Amino acid sequence: MFSKFRNATDKARKLAIEHENCLLPFIPCFRNLINMVEQQNSSSKVQASYELCRKIFTPSGAPPSSSAIQKLCSLLDTFGPADVGLKEENRDDRGHGMLGLNRLSSVARWAQPITYVDVYECDSFTMCIFCFPTSSVIPLHDHPSMTVFSKVLYGSLHVKAYDWVEPACYPKSKGPGYPAVRLAKLTVDKTLTAPCETSVLYPKRGGNLHCFTAVTPCAVLDILTPPYREDAGRKCTYYHDYPFSTFSRGNGAEIDDEKIDDLAWLAEIDTPDDLYMRQGAYTGPAVQV
């Protein structure tokens, strides 16, 4: 039996060698075919996300059903870098993600930008990508009346997030010169490492005010609904968080002393000067509108 198998193997090897030169010209075609199939598969994910978002989101910001949210999360959970045109083998640590942008060799690493990439935007939702260099930060900010889906595509990202304490709680006045603050509770303080599940924040829960810090080079696919729109009351506001002990408690919600470590006073601030962000070109599968 073994001798018959060996003879058959030898014949197959000889046949392959004889026809190797004939097959060589077709290898580029085979590679192109494989690339087309991969592109179609990726396109189906991006397109499927777009079509689902068009069905479940509205410009008014009406909250989608829990089943619709779960369906979108399940789809986003399957996304990897290649599905949005990112190539991990080209990844660098300069905030250009894997988008083939020119390196800024004259700029120090600490000053490297976070790259923001538009995938699609309409009145109902925004699809975008953030590519972070190591240690870069998007400071604490809010998403007024918005629901946000975040999927880490590669790398590790630390997320620190708060929700407002309800009813609104303010400290006793400390006089002029002190910032106006409001009490918030810590809801998320963890590192997300790809592959991981999609995170969702809601208008009043799930960590609507959050801060992103890149533990390693990483990229995040975000879907925001409805989009930021200042004239509709959806302005992005930045905050600084102070320890609870900084101010004396005042009026508002009752506070459980056992949970004081999870409380912080948040003060509105101007857009931080060190928030360094640049626009990148989307190179993934086009959305067919």
Side-chain angles (χ1 to χ4, degrees):
M1 178 65 71
F2 176 76
S3 61
K4 290 182 180 180
F5 175 77
R6 183 177 61 186
N7 290 338
T9 302
D10 290 341
K11 290 180 180 179
R13 186 183 294 111
K14 290 178 181 179
L15 184 61
I17 293 173
E18 290 173 0
H19 290 278
E20 181 178 9
N21 292 333
C22 296
L23 293 174
L24 285 175
F26 296 97
I27 290 178
C29 296
F30 295 150
R31 288 175 178 168
N32 290 338
L33 180 60
I34 291 173
N35 290 337
M36 288 175 61
V37 172
E38 291 179 345
Q39 185 77 353
Q40 288 173 353
N41 289 338
S42 296
S43 180
S44 66
K45 289 185 181 182
V46 173
Q47 189 66 28
S49 298
Y50 159 78
E51 292 174 357
L52 180 56
C53 289
R54 291 283 290 182
K55 290 179 180 179
I56 65 177
F57 299 144
T58 65
S60 67
S65 67
S66 57
S67 60
I69 289 174
Q70 184 57 50
K71 188 173 182 179
L72 181 56
C73 285
S74 296
L75 178 56
L76 293 176
D77 286 346
T78 68
F79 272 67
D83 296 309
V84 290
L86 306 182
K87 297 181 179 179
E88 192 163 1
E89 64 269 21
N90 294 331
R91 183 176 72 200
D92 63 33
D93 196 14
R94 297 175 175 271
H96 304 154
M98 303 173 289
L99 300 167
L101 298 174
N102 294 329
R103 294 173 181 243
L104 302 178
S105 58
S106 62
V107 182
R109 175 180 170 182
W110 60 266
Q112 293 305 310
I114 297 168
T115 301
Y116 172 81
V117 180
D118 272 317
V119 178
Y120 178 81
E121 183 169 355
C122 63
D123 290 341
S124 299
F125 63 93
T126 296
M127 297 176 66
C128 60
I129 302 167
F130 293 91
C131 295
F132 298 77
T134 301
S135 301
S136 60
V137 177
I138 294 183
L140 186 64
H141 62 283
D142 65 354
H143 308 82
S145 302
M146 299 161 65
T147 301
V148 181
F149 300 75
S150 297
K151 168 61 177 173
V152 179
L153 299 171
Y154 68 83
S156 295
L157 181 76
H158 184 263
V159 180
K160 185 177 184 180
Y162 296 92
D163 286 314
W164 294 119
V165 168
E166 296 291 353
C169 184
Y170 303 94
K172 293 180 180 178
S173 175
K174 299 187 71 171
Y178 288 90
V181 296
R182 180 179 171 183
L183 192 62
K185 56 184 176 181
L186 184 68
T187 56
V188 180
D189 189 11
K190 64 181 180 181
T191 297
L192 302 176
T193 300
C196 57
E197 294 182 348
T198 302
S199 300
V200 187
L201 64 83
Y202 302 91
K204 294 187 177 182
R205 62 185 176 88
N208 186 273
L209 306 97
H210 67 198
C211 171
F212 285 166
T213 303
V215 179
T216 68
C218 57
V220 179
L221 171 65
D222 270 0
I223 297 180
L224 304 88
T225 178
Y228 283 114
R229 184 176 168 183
E230 193 165 344
D231 62 359
R234 296 191 298 274
K235 176 187 176 183
C236 181
T237 302
Y238 292 90
Y239 294 86
H240 178 79
D241 54 343
Y242 294 90
F244 180 77
S245 59
T246 306
F247 299 87
S248 299
R249 71 182 71 180
N251 70 306
E254 295 184 2
I255 298 172
D256 186 344
D257 289 338
E258 295 182 357
K259 298 182 179 180
I260 284 180
D261 290 342
D262 292 334
L263 298 176
W265 300 101
L266 305 189
E268 291 187 20
I269 60 173
D270 294 332
T271 301
D273 293 334
D274 57 356
L275 178 56
Y276 186 19
M277 197 171 295
R278 62 172 290 174
Q279 185 79 32
Y282 175 60
T283 59
V287 174
Q288 303 298 321
V289 179

